[in-house]
Amino acid sequence: MSDPIPVLRTTDHGTAKLMPDVDRERAWLLTVDGAPQSYVDLDEPTHLEFEYTRRLGYVLDTVGEPGRPLELVHLGGGALTLPRYLAATRPGSRQDVVEADGKLLELVAEHLPLPRGAGIALHHADARAWIEAAPDDSADVLVADVFGGSRVPAHLTSLAYAREAERVLRADGVYLANLADAAPFAFLRSQLATFGAVFEELALIAEPGVLRGRRFGNAVLVASHHPVDTAALSRRAASDAFPARVEHGTALREFIGGARPVRDEDAVPSPVPPDGAFGIG
């Protein structure tokens, strides 16, 4: 007998809930312990519902030639929103998804199955351990969207981790991370300083209200050894239903200020979101 709708299941790291979207026939929202994790439309995989996911998608669209297949590593699986997006927008891409919650992977595979031949391999493993074992120069893009509950785990915030990520990426590779913080941005500044110590180029995409310290919110970090197309990203981010800014260069260095790279022994998780910051139902 199939599970009732909405689907509720205890996983390795919490209580996962799959809720159907009444406005889209085969679209689902995944939450874990009440925090939104993913939104997937099985009939329209290019639909990116969450603002931060669209910003990650904007960056992915600018990597290399449009439509060219890529090799990606996704740290954090959720309902596999971005892997599905890449499989649709760049057919032939090879993608590895690393998710620490094995029962969550089972739930998603059961109720939100991947299309046949999608080129997406699922791995039940700790993100940092998997990256440390991965071959050199083996990925075009590394996307980190890992949250333990509503916090980025400490072991994915350090200089040692950033160096491992850089090692796995090819020379023209791009590192992307979904982060969350609020003023005075101690965590976000420390992450920019950490990845700025390893990569030559940095950019940050976030809503102006978040950057001005008015509220807690997501920020997408972009790191690479070559300049990203910040003009194209700025246009896409500014035209979004929830407009965002792209900070880079002098403005971003001023934002980082005196923040220092994070050592493993000093690493801490991202801050606890205030009540209601990400909660749904």
Side-chain angles (χ1 to χ4, degrees), residues 159-226:
L159 190 58
Y161 160 73
R163 286 173 175 152
E164 287 296 315
E166 191 269 348
R167 178 186 61 78
V168 170
L169 286 168
R170 298 187 172 113
D172 59 351
V174 179
Y175 177 88
L176 299 175
N178 175 34
L179 306 173
D181 201 1
F185 300 114
F187 175 76
L188 186 55
R189 294 179 203 271
S190 76
Q191 288 306 284
L192 288 163
T194 298
F195 283 85
V198 176
F199 291 91
E200 297 173 36
E201 301 284 341
L202 290 180
L204 187 71
I205 311 173
E207 289 184 30
V210 171
L211 293 174
R212 292 182 187 129
R214 293 178 180 169
R215 64 180 186 83
F216 187 95
N218 294 93
V220 169
L221 180 154
V222 186
S224 65
H225 285 306
H226 61 93

Side-chain angles (χ1 to χ4, degrees), residues 75-167:
L75 303 181
L80 311 175
T81 304
L82 281 176
R84 298 172 201 267
Y85 177 82
L86 258 293
T89 59
R90 294 177 181 264
S93 294
R94 294 197 307 170
Q95 304 184 74
D96 288 296
V97 178
V98 184
E99 171 59 58
D101 192 328
K103 290 183 179 178
L104 179 61
L105 280 180
E106 292 174 5
L107 172 67
V108 170
E110 178 183 348
H111 289 275
L112 309 176
L114 290 165
R116 190 170 288 181
I120 300 169
L122 307 181
H123 309 273
H124 175 206
D126 173 78
R128 179 155 169 183
W130 197 92
I131 283 295
E132 288 175 345
D136 294 359
D137 306 318
S138 56
D140 297 307
V141 182
L142 200 165
V143 182
D145 188 11
V146 182
F147 282 77
S150 297
R151 307 178 73 185
V152 178
H155 70 304
L156 302 181
T157 68
S158 72
L159 190 58
Y161 160 73
R163 286 173 175 152
E164 287 296 315
E166 191 269 348
R167 178 186 61 78

